[in-house]
Amino acid sequence: MTLLYSDASAEGHLTPPGHPEQVARHAAVLKALAPLALAPRDCPEADEADLLRAHPARYLDRLRAAVPAQGSVALDADTHLSPGSLTAALKAAGGACAAVDAVLGGEDESAFVAMRPPGHHAERETAMGFCLLGTAAIAALRGLEHHGLDRVAVVDFDVHHGNGTQDILWTEGRAFFASTHQMPLYPGTGAAHETGAHGQVMNVPLRPGSGGAEAVAAWRLIAARLADWRPGLVVVSAGFDAHAADPLAQLNWTEADFAAVTALIRDAARAAGAPVVSVLEGGYDLAALGRSARVHVETLKEAAQ
C-alpha cells in the first residue's frame, strides 16, 4: 500500500481566473486516485520548528502579514495569496512532515501528499512560481533534524527546476538533491554545473521536445547516484507538467514515462532501505495530471519482487 495525505484546505487557496495553478487540480488528482481505495489522512499544519529549518522567521512574518482578509494579492506575476492560501501551504508542509513521521515509523514504505499550492520554487526568503513554502525541503529537513537521519535525498521530476529546494538545501551536506527539468524554461536555474556547496546537487537539464527515452536515461543516472548516496529517506517532488499535453512546457512524457521514472526512484530507495514520501508539485492539464498522478502512486505501491 501507499499512504495518502490530503486536506480540504487545498481548495481554499484561490488563484485568479485563468491561472493554471487552479483549485480544480486538487479535485482532479483525488478523483484519479479514488479507484485505488486509499483512505486519505488529514494534513496538520506544519510546526513552526519545521518551517524555521527552511525559512527564516522574517520571511514567515512577511508572508503572514501579506495574507489578505478578502480578495487576492499578488506576490509576483505568478504567485498569489487569498485568505485561505497560507493555511493550505502550511497543511501541505504539515502533511509532508506527517507522512515522513509515518513512513519512518514503519507504517508503510511510501506516501503521497496530494496538496496545493506546490512548493519547490519557494526559496529560503522568496515566494515565487506559484509556491509559498518549500514543502519537499521541509520534509527532508524533518527527516534529518527530528528523526536524526544521517542522510536524506530529494528528487524532482517536475518540468520546471526546483530552484527553491536547491536554494534551501544548497549548503546542507547531508541532503542530496537531484532534478530533471526542461531547459531553457522558467525559472532559468538548474544547469549541470550547479552542484551544491558539497557536490551533493545533481541537475540534468532536458531539451525542449525530448521525451521518454531521454527521461529514462537521465533518471537511470540519478537512480545510480541515489542508490550510492544511501539515504534514510527519499522525498519526491512529483510534478506532472513534463507531460506532452501540459500547456506550460515542451517535454513529451507520457504516463508510461512517469511510471518508468517512478520505478527507478522506488527501486533505488528500496535498495537503500529508504521509505519514500512524494509531494505533488506541478501539472496543469487536468486530465493528464490525474492519469499521471495515478500511475505514479500505483508504481510506488507495487510490492517488492
Side-chain angles (χ1 to χ4, degrees):
M1 292 295 290
T2 292
L3 304 176
L4 175 62
Y5 285 81
S6 187
D7 194 90
S9 63
E11 299 185 14
H13 168 53
L14 306 180
T15 54
H19 195 286
E21 209 295 282
Q22 58 182 295
V23 169
R25 296 181 66 241
H26 184 246
V29 170
L30 293 186
K31 181 179 179 180
L33 296 182
L36 304 184
L38 305 175
R41 299 184 176 193
D42 291 337
C43 298
E45 289 194 10
D47 292 340
E48 192 75 2
D50 289 315
L51 300 175
L52 289 171
R53 294 186 189 110
H55 302 286
R58 59 181 173 270
Y59 169 71
L60 298 174
D61 290 344
R62 288 200 306 269
L63 201 57
R64 291 177 177 122
V67 175
Q70 59 185 5
S72 177
V73 297
L75 299 180
D76 63 19
D78 302 312
T79 312
H80 300 265
L81 283 174
S82 69
S85 296
L86 185 56
T87 296
L90 288 169
K91 290 202 170 190
C97 289
V100 167
D101 295 348
V103 298
L104 289 177
E107 293 185 45
D108 207 305
E109 69 172 7
S110 63
F112 182 63
V113 184
M115 287 293 291
R116 57 180 291 278
H120 72 150
H121 292 310
E123 296 181 342
R124 188 171 289 276
E125 296 199 54
T126 306
M128 59 184 289
F130 313 161
C131 303
L132 304 177
L133 299 171
T135 302
I138 289 168
L141 292 169
R142 183 169 178 85
L144 289 172
E145 302 298 345
H146 183 80
H147 291 278
L149 298 179
D150 294 327
R151 289 187 173 199
V152 298
V154 181
V155 294
D156 186 334
F157 56 74
D158 190 281
V159 80
H160 303 93
H161 180 242
N163 60 296
T165 306
Q166 179 171 288
D167 177 60
I168 293 167
L169 299 180
W170 185 262
T171 61
E172 178 47 78
R174 299 169 295 171
F176 172 62
F177 173 64
S179 172
T180 57
H181 42 274
Q182 181 181 317
M183 182 175 278
L185 191 67
Y186 180 91
T189 54
H193 64 75
E194 298 172 21
T195 56
H198 306 281
Q200 86 289 8
V201 170
M202 182 178 183
N203 285 302
V204 186
L206 301 172
R207 293 180 179 179
S210 61
E214 294 87 350
V216 171
W219 279 96
R220 282 182 178 143
L221 294 174
I222 293 172
R225 179 90 178 269
L226 178 61
D228 288 343
W229 185 255
R230 306 290 300 179
L233 169 71
V234 176
V235 179
V236 181
S237 272
F240 300 102
D241 39 7
H243 195 284
D246 199 273
L248 297 192
Q250 295 83 40
L251 294 189
N252 291 314
W253 295 20
T254 66
E255 291 89 335
D257 300 322
F258 286 109
V261 166
T262 302
L264 287 166
I265 296 168
R266 178 203 66 202
D267 292 348
R270 284 177 176 167
V276 175
V277 170
S278 178
V279 300
L280 179 65
E281 300 285 3
Y284 305 102
D285 179 277
L286 295 180
L289 169 63
R291 295 193 305 268
S292 301
R294 175 168 171 168
V295 299
H296 173 64
V297 174
E298 285 177 327
T299 304
L300 282 180
K301 68 192 288 288
E302 285 178 5
Q305 301 299 314

